[in-house]
Amino acid sequence: MATNILNVYSAALAALSMGMRVSRTAIALIAGIVGYVVTLYFLAQPSFAKAFDNWMISLLLWMSPWAGIILADFYLVRRGQIDVAELYREPSLSAYGDINWGAIVSFVVGLVAGWSVEDGLVPALQGPISTKLLAGADLSWLVGIVVAGGLYLVLGRRTEPIVVPQAMRGGR
């Protein structure tokens, strides 16, 4: 219980930051119930460790392409510069815009590429390249990062660079 307090609180804050018009208490209650149900599911499995490992593998599959896009955008496209004030403006007025479709496409392609070389415990998470050509080696994290990040560099760039005040540069 004590370990999950921060998880429930963080989930509530994340939901509120997405603009949901629900009280923090209600969101925390929902997150707590979902966490409890998932824990019961894990405990009901023949092997808690195997069920938990499957969950962790599923997280790795989507986190790798996401990380590739974030790293490519921050370090290579924006060169460590983010204008925080622009992040909070209306999308139609913000220099960052609304939806970056290049990032969405890069994420999906990175997800599929990562899956193709993944060797998860669940058959659905066993990619054809990993099982047939790599003797079960799991390179999903590397392929997901490289493919999504590389494709984002091609598809996701904004045409106009954003001038960031010196005080807001990424920790320099």
Side-chain angles (χ1 to χ4, degrees), residues 55-133:
W55 169 252
M56 296 306 288
I57 288 171
S58 70
L59 292 178
L60 176 68
L61 185 59
W62 72 263
M63 276 194 246
S64 298
W66 175 81
I69 292 166
I70 296 298
L71 292 170
D73 182 68
F74 184 74
Y75 289 108
L76 300 175
V77 174
R78 302 191 193 286
R79 307 220 187 274
Q81 300 177 14
I82 299 283
D83 187 348
V84 177
E86 284 294 310
L87 294 174
Y88 292 96
R89 294 183 71 191
E90 286 293 321
S92 61
L93 303 173
S94 172
Y96 294 112
D98 195 3
I99 297 173
N100 185 335
W101 288 106
I104 302 290
V105 169
S106 299
F107 176 77
V108 171
V109 171
L111 193 65
V112 171
W115 167 79
S116 73
V117 293
E118 183 173 24
D119 186 43
L121 296 174
V122 176
L125 292 178
Q126 295 173 351
I129 294 173
S130 176
T131 57
K132 294 179 180 151
L133 299 176

Side-chain angles (χ1 to χ4, degrees), residues 132-149:
K132 294 179 180 151
L133 299 176
L134 300 176
D138 188 338
L139 300 175
S140 60
W141 63 274
L142 179 61
V143 171
I145 286 174
V146 171
V147 169

Side-chain angles (χ1 to χ4, degrees), residues 5-20:
I5 290 172
L6 291 176
N7 294 332
V8 170
Y9 180 72
S10 297
L13 291 181
L16 292 173
S17 72
M18 292 188 307
M20 297 177 82

